Amino acid sequence: MAAKRKRGALAAGKAKRARSAPSAGEAVPEGGPQERSVPPQEYSIPPPVSQGKWKNKERVLIFSSRGINFRTRHLMQDLRTLMPHSKADTKMDRKDQLFVINEVCEMKNCNKCIFFEAKKKQDLYMWLSNTPQGPSAKFLVQNVHTLAELKMTGNCLRGSRPLLSFDPIFDREPHYALLKELFIQIFSTPQYHPKSQPFVDHVFTFTITDERIWFRNYQASIIEEDASLVEIGPRFVLNLIKIFQGSFGGPTLYENPHYQSPNMHRRLVKLSVAAKFREKQQVKEVQKIKKKGTKVLVEEDPTEVVFETPAEEKPVEIQFVKPESKPIVKDKKKLRKIQRKKQKKLFRPEG
């Protein structure tokens, strides 16, 4: 018994073919169902949104090591949302060496990588690398604020292409010029990417202040009356540590002389607190010594003795009779009775 076929389903082995509109030079054969006249607009197919070809096939792998906190996880998810040409992967074990990431990128078919490395569950480092040839840069990430944490207004489309705005200092120093090219290749969405939108409605700004790189994301459409941009997040600060020639290693091209490790910073903070405590203790000891020290006496004035008058000497009385001993009574009530009897004897009238 033949199985029933659902209404509208195709038969097995037969594919549905699209009917094409007859061209001007072709003649329609007579007879049959093709003799009917079909309006041309039924066969017109709208052109695609982007008619160009996807040539710049940059793919960025964004993942992290184990031990990151919730804020880093949200920041990583925000970067994946803003970058449609990014890919995700599972967390890497801390025991693995960093050069293993090149193999992971090759497996994922990615030629750029953003790797978040967590240490001591409080310090966050970011690696930006061009795999597998290099170069790569290591940063200390500070002042992280995610999209959910900022709660800023903004309605930019997901997958839209950003504008990249750089500080003029990036063109003056050679190491900043290298970082600029690395940022352009990683954060810029390739043109005609399948997951991207053909719109430019937000701006990534990279500003250098206090020897650090400040990352901000602004909405490109003008909302305020004074034509100011609206920040939509996320935001973070990158403190450059080193730039390597290879991917996740190799010879050091540049080392930041102004960089101070978090361990050294915490050590200096503890030393400053201890120095303040020691200073307070020394002040207290000095005050105690001042109180205990002998006071400087003023020299005696010889004229002060002139007005002194000697006191009258009292005659010395010698007692030859032993005083009467008082009775030792432990009971207070008996002592009071004895005192009363003595008083009665004294004041008793003679009969």
Side-chain angles (χ1 to χ4, degrees), residues 207-231:
T207 311
I208 297 175
T209 306
D210 194 19
E211 303 296 335
R212 291 170 174 82
I213 301 173
W214 300 65
F215 175 85
R216 294 291 185 269
N217 181 21
Y218 294 96
Q219 183 176 337
S221 57
I222 299 173
I223 295 179
E224 304 295 334
E225 295 180 357
D226 55 350
S228 61
L229 297 175
V230 178
E231 186 179 356

Side-chain angles (χ1 to χ4, degrees), residues 77-94:
Q77 188 61 37
D78 293 342
L79 290 179
R80 289 172 184 167
T81 305
L82 294 173
M83 301 165 63
H85 59 294
S86 63
K87 289 187 178 182
D89 195 19
T90 57
K91 296 179 181 177
M92 196 180 77
D93 197 358
R94 296 186 207 172

Side-chain angles (χ1 to χ4, degrees), residues 63-68 91-94 115-118:
F63 72 118
S64 68
S65 64
R66 297 192 181 276
I68 62 172
K91 296 179 181 177
M92 196 180 77
D93 197 358
R94 296 186 207 172
F115 178 67
F116 292 94
E117 185 181 7

Side-chain angles (χ1 to χ4, degrees), residues 116-146:
F116 292 94
E117 185 181 7
K119 290 184 179 180
K120 296 187 176 181
K121 296 185 178 179
Q122 55 183 345
D123 302 330
L124 179 63
Y125 298 91
M126 178 192 286
W127 285 84
L128 300 180
S129 175
N130 178 25
T131 58
Q133 294 86 11
S136 59
K138 185 180 180 181
F139 301 90
L140 174 67
V141 186
Q142 299 172 328
N143 301 335
V144 177
H145 298 280
T146 59

